[in-house]
Amino acid sequence: MLVIRKTSNPYTLRDFLENDYPELLEAAESMCVVLTDLQNAIVELLPLSKRLLPSDVKQLAHIEKQANLMVYICHHSLFAFADKVYTILNKQCTALAEALNSNRQADEAVAVADLEKTLQSLTNIPFDKLLDNSAACLLKFVVFKDYLQTRLDFNVIPIFNDTGKIQAHWTFRDIIGQITGNGLDERLLKDFINAPFPNAPTIGKVVDDETLKRMY
């Protein structure tokens, strides 16, 4: 990969990336824009898709109600996936910037390889089509997410006990395992009906670019 090094001195973690790896920084920040757009779209869709949910487990006997629940599960899952992708990018960009700041060349090489692999993997995921035909997309997403990391898993929604406290989480792999083994059942329906809506994107900056790391 061609590295263009600027002559200006870096001061923050972001400056280190912009100075030594501007193409990787641009790709990571562009992906954060894509993730934010996806989450913004889902924030708008979730209240609409919840209205179509079956009100009780008996309604799950109807194909249309099953599809509606699949759509709702997909919307929550995609929001959580976007957050997981951002977490990975943030961690890898920060690791690279800190290696540059400390002049640790071996760590820099590993961090560059990790970030390049992640960014390349993300090009295989059709983010612009993930919300098309959401019921079918939930099952396709099982394949898409593993482009990023084999057997990737992440929390999707919290599970509340009778007192309203969070006692566990549904992870994506748990959800797919439940659907595969038991179908769309009362447990899934209840927990997703009770799940709170995210009300804003969770995507931040690829690194903490406000923290001063080096003085000249």
Side-chain angles (χ1 to χ4, degrees):
M1 176 181 180
L2 178 63
V3 177
I4 302 173
R5 298 184 182 271
K6 295 184 178 181
T7 57
S8 60
N9 293 323
Y11 291 92
T12 66
L13 287 180
R14 187 183 183 282
D15 288 337
F16 282 101
L17 294 180
E18 188 174 27
N19 194 64
D20 286 24
Y21 294 95
E23 293 178 357
L24 286 180
L25 175 62
E26 180 181 3
E29 291 186 330
S30 295
M31 178 52 61
C32 285
V33 173
V34 171
L35 298 173
T36 300
D37 289 345
L38 176 62
Q39 285 193 332
N40 273 324
I42 292 169
V43 166
E44 294 184 6
L45 287 171
L46 276 171
L48 302 176
S49 58
K50 185 173 184 178
R51 292 175 195 167
L52 301 176
L53 290 180
S55 57
D56 58 62
V57 70
K58 293 179 180 179
Q59 293 185 3
L60 282 176
H62 302 287
I63 298 297
E64 180 182 356
K65 293 299 184 180
Q66 293 176 19
N68 290 344
L69 178 55
M70 291 280 278
V71 168
Y72 192 64
I73 291 172
C74 183
H75 288 166
H76 274 285
S77 298
L78 290 177
F79 189 95
F81 174 69
D83 181 75
K84 180 66 174 181
V85 173
Y86 165 68
T87 299
I88 293 171
L89 286 174
N90 175 262
K91 181 179 179 180
Q92 292 180 342
C93 286
T94 299
L96 175 54
E98 290 178 343
L100 291 167
N101 181 36
S102 302
N103 197 27
R104 292 180 275 112
Q105 295 183 353
D107 291 342
E108 176 187 344
V110 172
V112 168
D114 288 344
L115 182 55
E116 286 180 334
K117 180 180 178 182
T118 294
L119 291 169
Q120 179 58 43
S121 298
L122 290 171
T123 64
N124 296 317
I125 300 175
F127 284 94
D128 59 332
K129 297 185 184 342
L130 287 180
L131 292 174
D132 296 347
N133 192 7
S134 296
C137 182
L138 183 63
L139 300 180
K140 292 180 181 179
F141 185 50
V142 176
V143 177
F144 292 155
K145 74 175 183 64
D146 284 352
Y147 290 154
L148 179 60
Q149 192 177 104
T150 302
R151 297 176 67 81
L152 179 69
D153 201 16
F154 46 89
N155 290 340
V156 175
I157 62 165
I159 301 172
F160 298 95
N161 61 23
D162 293 338
T163 66
K165 293 183 179 180
I166 297 176
Q167 65 179 13
H169 285 82
W170 277 105
T171 72
F172 185 76
R173 290 184 61 199
D174 288 339
I175 292 166
I176 296 302
Q178 182 77 2
I179 293 173
T180 302
N182 302 304
L184 294 167
D185 60 7
E186 185 175 12
R187 181 183 172 196
L188 270 175
L189 177 61
K190 176 185 174 183
D191 289 340
F192 270 89
I193 286 177
N194 292 333
F197 294 146
N199 53 26
T202 59
I203 313 304
K205 299 174 181 178
V206 292
V207 290
D208 178 8
D209 63 353
E210 303 299 328
T211 302
L212 190 64
K213 291 296 181 181
R214 188 176 295 182
M215 296 288 290
Y216 291 91

